[in-house]
Amino acid sequence: MAGLFDASIDIEFIEKEIVRCVSMVRGGIHAILVVFSVRNRFLKEEFDVITRLRTLFGSRVDDYLIVVFTGGDELEANEQSLKDLLKESSCPEPLKETLSLCQDRVVLFNNRTKDETKKAQQLRDLLSLVNIVLTNNLKPYTQETLSEFIVRHIILHHLLHYYNLCSINLKF
């Protein structure tokens, strides 16, 4: 789904692509991974992706979200842990909020390690979080889940539009 969160792409096209992609995943989506690098400052555009996910999938997306950080090697070189980094006052509020909403499902990857044991542990940590997501949600995010959200979204949109028209008419 690369490029789907490009702000220059029409939202209706993105919605259709999301529906198409979800329908193609046999058995549904078990987890949604959002990847950040600890090497870079957290930019507004990165958090816009999460906001867009919530807009497209509904607030239940947080139930399926796992935040993956890359660049663990840099933290190790600075003798810093991911917990230390996330507790710093410079950690942006949108990131803290996202981590809270996804129940702190976070995993750190050291992309440069040659240690096979460490690589295997990183993978086990990620798969453990995916299992937690599945256990908590009881079922994957499916086309049915998305369809229910879209129907509720359309109904809400029409109700708000109707009430806005009514309130306009009442003012006259």
Side-chain angles (χ1 to χ4, degrees):
M1 295 190 335
L4 284 182
F5 298 105
D6 182 339
S8 65
I9 298 175
D10 180 55
I11 190 74
E12 288 181 24
F13 171 77
I14 292 172
E15 288 174 353
K16 288 176 185 172
E17 282 297 296
I18 292 285
V19 170
R20 187 179 69 79
C21 290
V22 171
S23 70
M24 290 175 18
V25 179
R26 175 168 264 134
I29 296 172
H30 294 95
I32 297 172
L33 306 181
V34 176
V35 181
F36 295 113
S37 172
V38 299
R39 290 185 177 90
N40 304 322
R41 283 186 39 230
F42 301 106
L43 303 173
K44 179 187 178 306
E45 292 78 16
E46 292 173 317
F47 299 113
D48 288 346
V49 168
I50 295 171
T51 301
R52 205 116 188 235
L53 280 170
R54 288 184 184 122
T55 300
L56 295 171
F57 285 98
S59 60
R60 287 220 43 225
V61 75
D62 294 318
D63 298 337
Y64 294 86
L65 202 63
I66 297 173
V67 179
V68 177
F69 286 94
T70 62
D73 49 293
E74 187 161 313
L75 288 181
E76 285 177 14
N78 294 329
E79 296 181 3
Q80 188 178 23
S81 72
L82 183 59
K83 285 184 181 182
D84 294 337
L85 178 72
L86 297 176
K87 288 185 180 182
E88 287 181 359
S89 60
S90 61
C91 182
E93 279 305 313
L95 178 57
K96 289 179 183 178
E97 178 187 328
T98 296
L99 295 175
S100 174
L101 289 171
C102 76
Q103 301 171 353
D104 292 313
R105 287 187 300 271
V106 174
V107 64
L108 176 66
F109 274 79
N110 177 333
N111 305 60
R112 297 185 181 168
T113 187
K114 304 288 186 226
D115 183 343
E116 293 302 320
T117 304
K118 185 177 245 181
K119 287 180 183 180
Q121 184 59 50
Q122 292 175 158
L123 182 58
R124 279 192 301 274
D125 291 346
L126 176 60
L127 293 176
S128 172
L129 290 174
V130 171
N131 283 329
I132 289 169
V133 168
L134 281 173
T135 301
N136 290 346
N137 293 313
L138 301 177
K139 66 178 187 172
Y141 194 98
T142 62
Q143 185 174 4
E144 179 181 310
T145 313
L146 181 60
S147 296
E148 290 170 8
F149 167 73
I150 291 171
V151 167
R152 285 194 309 271
H153 181 74
I154 290 170
I155 290 170
L156 180 61
H157 175 75
H158 287 296
L159 284 173
L160 289 174
H161 181 72
Y162 172 76
Y163 283 114
N164 282 337
L165 288 177
C166 287
S167 66
I168 291 170
N169 290 336
L170 292 174
K171 291 179 184 176
F172 291 112

